[in-house]
Amino acid sequence: MTAPAIAGGVDFDLEAAWGLNAQVALRDEEFGALAYHYGTRRLVFLKSRLLVDLVRALDDHDSAAAALVSLVEPSEFHRYAAALATLVPSEIIHER
Amino acid sequence: MSVKPVPSLKDRFSLGLQAPICLTWELTYACNLSCVHCLSSSGRRDPDELSTAEAKAVIDEMAAMQIFYVNIGGGEPLLRPDFFELVDHAVASGVGVKFSTNGSRLTPERAERLAATDYVDVQISIDGADAVTNDAVRGEGSFDTAIGAMENLAAAGFGEFKISVVMTRHNIPQLDQFQAIADRFGAQLRLTRLRPSGRGADTWHELHPTAEQQRELYQWLLARPNTLTGDSFFHLSALGDPLEGLNLCGAGRVVCLIDPVGDVYACPFVIHDEFKAGNVRDDGGFSRVWLDSEVFAALREPQSAGACTSCGSYDACQGGCMAAKFFTGLPLDGPDPECVLGHADEALAAVKVPVLLRPTTTVDHSARRPVSLSRR
Ligand code: SF4
Ligand code: SF4
């Protein structure tokens, strides 16, 4: 597959290995999940269940692209890659 | 106008959350001050206060529910002899603590202890940028005491604490001075809205900002999006661009209060039987109250906009604050008493007469000396 190198206008390296920040806790909710960063004390909303599954799957895959392929319909790759990219500045996920 | 993704999230909250996002826990009704606007009518300790063991069990439940942090208040929380024991237990359980204090018991030793604890935020309350303005509301000497506590925190190397101010008619002209105090200590300014709750029911009419001051505050906040407000001024969003935050009344949906005796209310500003959902001592504890209470279920239903339906600003302002309406005797499905378009003025003037018929807080722990009132 050809994954976009830039998602949602934010630099996000899909070929890199990503993971959930160890300082972040996820609380599942009907709409998705709340992510709380104990270091920055910021609360972030993950607005779909699939995004939550994807974030949790990052640690088990060698690249974000592989995690995407395993969970997300091809037509939705861009959307979910962009959603992942928005979690980088808030340090919810980071490159491993 | 830019459309924010907030409304969809708002709809999603109606599905109900597994746990509150903004949980306040008043640890005690005991307080050495008697601020004229105290939302919890604090003063005397309630003999039925949760014991240390009960309080720790509540913390364990918070941890199990993945409540990431709790806002601890009172009364004056430092008056509980087990305060640090409870804070340590919370932090060790992964429940961060943000606590509000009047500063009177924040000695240099305690400041150092707080500085050494991770995941603790401290808010020191002042309601004027000088002693005259502050002490008129919070009592003689309380300004100097609070500044002393800030000095103790700074000396202990606590880092960025918060200075919490309830905005009134008398201190809105001091916004820049408050910012200067915060800057002096490297602190963050937190401005919140005065509600007619607790003893505030008696003083709100004289203390709440004028319409002109509300516009001034709105402009000030727009220019400083990093100012903390606890989302409390969303009724001002009807003036134009929305302020930062979720911009909705979260009572019973996102927001919740546990009081010192374990009673659970929809929000810290509605300590009244109408909004009491249960008690943490009941079977099933806090989690059952949060998930199953009828009071909360009703609040999670879509709310009628009532007289606000025809207002073009309803999306931004949502009719304002439920507590403010309730304690001024206004219908809950109509405009906020401080509606920036003035749509509540007439109704408010009409209910002003039978003051004694307005709902008052059903729980009052005020010290038995009279709180000074300038009216009548
Ligand atoms: S009429 Fe209602 S919705 Fe409109 S600005 Fe006033 S309180 Fe807000
Ligand atoms: S009742 Fe008022 S203070 Fe309470 S959550 Fe609603 S808007 Fe906020």
Side-chain angles (χ1 to χ4, degrees), chain A residues 23-32 34-39 41-43 45-48 56, chain B residues 5 9 12-13 15-21 65-69 94-96 118-121 246:
Chain A
Q23 279 187 286
V24 173
L26 294 179
R27 178 169 107 205
D28 289 303
E29 293 288 353
E30 301 277 342
F31 65 81
L34 296 176
Y36 185 67
H37 192 305
Y38 280 96
R41 294 178 203 178
R42 285 260 158 73
L43 195 63
F45 298 91
L46 306 188
K47 295 179 203 169
S48 90
R56 286 209 172 99
Chain B
L9 195 59
R12 282 165 179 155
F13 285 150
L15 296 168
L17 293 168
Q18 296 303 305
I21 292 174
M65 292 170 80
Q66 285 194 285
I67 290 171
F68 304 120
Y69 60 87
V95 180
D118 269 346
Y119 307 131
V120 175
D121 280 344
L246 287 173

Side-chain angles (χ1 to χ4, degrees), chain B residues 238 308 311 313-314 317 319 335-336 339 341 343:
Chain B
C308 293
C311 175
S313 298
Y314 184 73
C317 142
D336 188 289
C339 166
L341 304 179
H343 290 168

